[in-house]
Structure formats: structure tokens, C-alpha cells
Amino acid sequence: MPYQVEFTLKPKHRGFHLITNEVIQYLPKLPQAGLLHLFIKHTSAGLSINENADPDVQTDLNAIFDRLVREREPYYTHTCEGVDDMPAHAKSTLVGVDVTIPITNGRLNLGTWQGIYLCEFRNHNTGRKIVATIIE
């Protein structure tokens, strides 16, 4: 039987943020085996799995994405919500809005150096809404 909970992450500044522990605090006791699916209900942020050991990864990812998708490009037509909005939509499309993680022995079965990232692409935001679905 699937279980679903929706929660709001604490607001974060623009960048890549490890949120594994924050996500876990909102989840019920996990089953012995199953899947956790996380979906972010926004079009200007994303979710990803990446390295959780070296904070330079977060800095480098932010630099890479800011070079890939620049602000204030003259060909943007969707500009009414600020210079960071259209680039945020494009970055969200590149990263994606969901991740699925196996559950094994009642724990998230992430790799040794893996963590869940909130990829925040706007300069200012309120907390991001996440839907977590646990499937046994």
C-alpha cells in the first residue's frame, strides 16, 4: 500500500543544497524494502542525487549551471518574473523534478557518497513543496 506525505522544505538561497536529512525527518518509519519517490512541485527548482562528501561539488555545480544557462540573454521572451526566472525554468528542465531511491532494510539505499540535492535556481523563494511517495 503506497503512503504519501507532502511537506515544505526550509527556504534556501540559490545553489545546490544537500537535503537528505531534512527529507528523512518528514518521512514515517520506512518499510524493510520499497521505493521512495520525491517530486518537487515547482518549475524553477529541481531534485538530484549527487556527491555528499565534498562541498566543492555544490560550488562547482552552481558554476557549471550558471555558465550553461545564463541570465539576461537577449532571446528570452519570458522575462516578467525577473532575470533569474527563465534560466531557472531551463535549469529545472535539465535537472528534472523527481528522484527515486530504493529502500533496503528500512533505510534509504543511497551510495556511500550520495545525497539528495535541492537544486534551487531562483535568487529568492519561499520553501519548496515536496511530495514523497513510499511504495512497499
Side-chain angles (χ1 to χ4, degrees), residues 4 16 72 74 84 104 112 125:
Q4 194 169 77
F16 289 76
R72 295 179 176 87
D84 64 330
T104 306
T112 302
N125 72 79

Side-chain angles (χ1 to χ4, degrees), residues 8 25-26 33 42 50 59 67 77 103 121 135:
T8 303
Q25 79 177 4
Y26 289 105
H42 301 275
N50 216 306
T59 301
R67 283 178 179 84
T77 57
I103 300 168
F121 300 124
I135 303 166

Side-chain angles (χ1 to χ4, degrees), residues 1-131:
M1 177 66 91
Y3 173 84
Q4 194 169 77
V5 62
E6 185 172 326
F7 55 89
T8 303
L9 297 171
K10 295 174 187 164
K12 311 252 187 308
H13 59 84
R14 182 174 170 166
F16 289 76
H17 305 277
L18 280 165
I19 59 166
T20 309
N21 292 334
E22 189 175 354
V23 167
I24 289 170
Q25 79 177 4
Y26 289 105
L27 301 178
K29 182 178 180 197
L30 296 174
Q32 281 302 107
L35 293 172
L36 171 64
H37 180 261
L38 299 173
F39 174 80
I40 190 166
K41 295 175 67 174
H42 301 275
T43 60
S44 57
L47 294 173
S48 181
I49 304 287
N50 216 306
E51 181 177 325
N52 67 357
D54 185 351
D56 288 344
V57 171
Q58 294 163 277
T59 301
D60 290 347
L61 284 171
N62 196 50
I64 290 165
F65 271 76
D66 283 348
R67 283 178 179 84
L68 282 173
V69 184
R70 297 181 185 276
E71 293 181 356
R72 295 179 176 87
E73 292 293 356
Y75 52 84
Y76 293 156
T77 57
H78 176 72
T79 58
C80 62
E81 295 179 58
V83 297
D84 64 330
D85 188 51
M86 188 59 230
H89 293 315
K91 292 172 184 178
S92 174
T93 296
L94 291 172
V95 170
V97 294
D98 68 325
V99 294
T100 302
I101 303 163
I103 300 168
T104 306
N105 297 322
R107 299 178 56 142
L108 297 181
N109 196 347
L110 292 163
T112 302
W113 308 113
Q114 289 183 318
I116 304 166
Y117 273 79
L118 167 66
C119 310
E120 178 55 66
F121 300 124
R122 294 297 309 263
N123 293 326
H124 306 286
N125 72 79
T126 57
R128 298 299 192 164
K129 293 182 181 177
I130 306 286
V131 177

